[in-house]
Amino acid sequence: MEGINEPIIKRYDKNPILTKHDVPYPVETVHNAGVVKHNGRYIMLFRSHLRNGRSIIGIAESDDGLSFKVRPEPFITPANIEPFAFYEEYGVEDPRICDKGGEYLITYSAYSRHGVRVVLAKTNDFTSIERVSLITQADYRNVVLFPEKINNRYVRLDRPHTEISPWSIWISYSPDLIHWGDSKIVIKPLMYHWDEMKVGPGATPIKTGKGWLNIYHGVFKTMGGAVYRLGVALHDLKDPSKILGVADDWILQPEDPWEVSGYVHNVVFCCGAVAENDGTIKIYWGGADLVMCVGTALIADLVDLCLLNPRLE
Ligand code: BMA
């Protein structure tokens, strides 16, 4: 019988699935990875800190989505061509991958003395990558692209920084993936709730029969520091600025030793999930900004959590 305290995400019993010891070049962390299925195999783009404290993005492959092998060379390192080099001086972080029907769009954070911006890049084969454009100004992170055009426009979620209110999830639209506008705030942190400090998009939105499933991260400040957890929200299929429900409960919190303690304590942070044909989803998260972990859930359970147990604003 399913226990009342069974978690909605079942952690893989061989977590963590990837650590710095699996990487054949010097890095200190392996975390915050985007994952996608390409030609039946799983491709993971993961962030690693170098020993200078700045980050690069490596690549790993897998047949089953659980056991990954890292390629000998990193996949994205700071650019040496302009205008990207200027804005990637301090490193590249937290990639998301969007499968646009065989072409893969990658969005990642670019750090420099001018702040953090988001770069859009693309690849067809995960052997080479072409940078397309810087698609935000400074002080944006966590851009996730919807995998299809909606009402003839590209759609994204992102998370601008502000000093005035808690950091929130916004939606924007584009005719060409380069020029973005019509922006609107869609999910705010809720006071005295597990995500009260800030929220941000996590995985590329997953299309379900009942709406777009958005796996996001939320942060709560405690006397022991901030705690990063994962939550879910459901966006209307035809108008994703319309929220059908934000689940009241988190779906994952730091519990395993490598989530509770590491490079940054008490962090589970998601940049990617893969929906399988059998109704399950593999959710990938960085544990304590140090290692990569995976777990599975039923997509229907996550959707129900949004619709049947929504938080009250
Ligand atoms: C956020 C980002 C993430 C990181 C998280 C926890 O602000 O920097 O890349 O995983 O903090 O440290």
Side-chain angles (χ1 to χ4, degrees):
M1 198 182 78
E2 204 171 279
I4 200 146
N5 282 316
E6 285 302 307
I8 195 159
I9 297 181
K10 194 169 175 304
R11 285 171 166 87
Y12 180 47
D13 57 12
K14 296 203 183 78
N15 276 343
I17 56 168
L18 209 67
T19 75
K20 67 175 181 174
H21 305 295
D22 303 309
V23 181
Y25 43 87
V27 294
E28 285 304 314
T29 65
V30 168
H31 62 119
N32 297 5
V35 184
V36 81
K37 243 180 181 170
H38 166 58
N39 289 343
R41 305 193 76 214
Y42 296 77
I43 301 278
M44 174 187 281
L45 299 184
F46 60 88
R47 170 179 170 195
S48 284
H49 284 93
L50 302 173
R51 288 178 193 153
N52 62 8
R54 297 179 182 176
S55 295
I56 59 169
I57 292 169
I59 184 164
E61 291 168 82
S62 165
D63 287 324
D64 60 4
L66 303 170
S67 154
F68 283 84
K69 184 157 174 46
V70 179
R71 284 201 206 146
E73 303 291 335
F75 191 59
I76 311 177
T77 53
N80 46 28
I81 44 156
E82 298 301 351
F84 305 101
F86 193 66
Y87 295 103
E88 295 185 9
E89 177 193 12
Y90 293 170
V92 291
E93 304 188 359
D94 297 6
R96 271 76 174 192
I97 314 169
C98 170
D99 179 353
K100 192 163 91 40
E103 182 180 60
Y104 299 92
L105 302 173
I106 300 165
T107 46
Y108 62 86
S109 304
Y111 274 81
S112 74
R113 66 190 68 196
H114 310 292
V116 53
R117 302 184 66 180
V118 175
V119 173
L120 170 69
K122 62 181 183 183
T123 182
N124 289 320
D125 53 11
F126 290 100
T127 54
S128 62
I129 175 175
E130 185 192 331
R131 286 169 170 86
V132 179
S133 184
L134 286 140
I135 55 168
T136 69
Q137 297 172 310
D139 297 338
Y140 281 79
R141 288 177 46 91
N142 305 314
V143 170
V144 297
L145 300 168
F146 285 74
E148 59 189 60
K149 279 180 157 178
I150 301 169
N151 296 326
N152 215 24
R153 294 194 292 181
Y154 293 102
V155 188
R156 81 180 196 205
L157 302 175
D158 63 30
R159 211 281 308 284
H161 301 189
T162 158
E163 303 225 324
I164 294 179
S165 70
W167 299 0
S168 304
I169 298 176
W170 290 62
I171 196 164
S172 296
Y173 302 88
S174 170
D176 57 4
L177 288 169
I178 313 253
H179 304 90
W180 292 88
D182 220 354
S183 305
K184 198 171 139 189
I185 188 166
V186 287
I187 302 176
K188 290 184 188 197
L190 188 63
M191 200 181 282
Y192 216 73
H193 193 250
W194 63 267
D195 65 6
E196 82 162 355
M197 187 182 165
K198 56 178 177 171
V199 293
T204 297
I206 309 279
K207 194 176 192 180
T208 76
K210 294 188 176 166
W212 291 101
L213 185 68
N214 166 14
I215 300 172
Y216 72 99
H217 67 264
V219 188
F220 191 85
K221 209 169 161 185
T222 74
M223 294 301 282
V227 181
Y228 277 71
R229 299 185 174 98
L230 301 182
V232 272
L234 201 66
H235 298 238
D236 187 80
L237 283 177
K238 294 203 179 103
D239 175 6
S241 72
K242 204 172 136 199
I243 304 295
L244 304 177
V246 180
D248 195 36
D249 298 348
W250 67 69
I251 59 165
L252 191 80
Q253 68 160 349
E255 280 176 17
D256 272 338
W258 45 84
E259 299 163 348
V260 169
S261 133
Y263 190 80
V264 179
H265 293 186
N266 286 318
V267 176
V268 290
F269 194 93
C270 176
C271 294
V274 174
E276 306 288 6
N277 292 331
D278 62 358
T280 63
I281 185 169
K282 288 191 178 65
I283 300 175
Y284 295 85
W285 63 90
D289 284 0
L290 185 66
V291 297
M292 273 311 296
C293 305
V294 64
T296 53
L298 289 174
I299 295 174
D301 284 354
L302 300 176
V303 168
D304 281 353
L305 201 66
C306 299
L307 294 176
L308 306 179
N309 187 24
R311 69 185 204 185
L312 301 173
E313 304 292 324

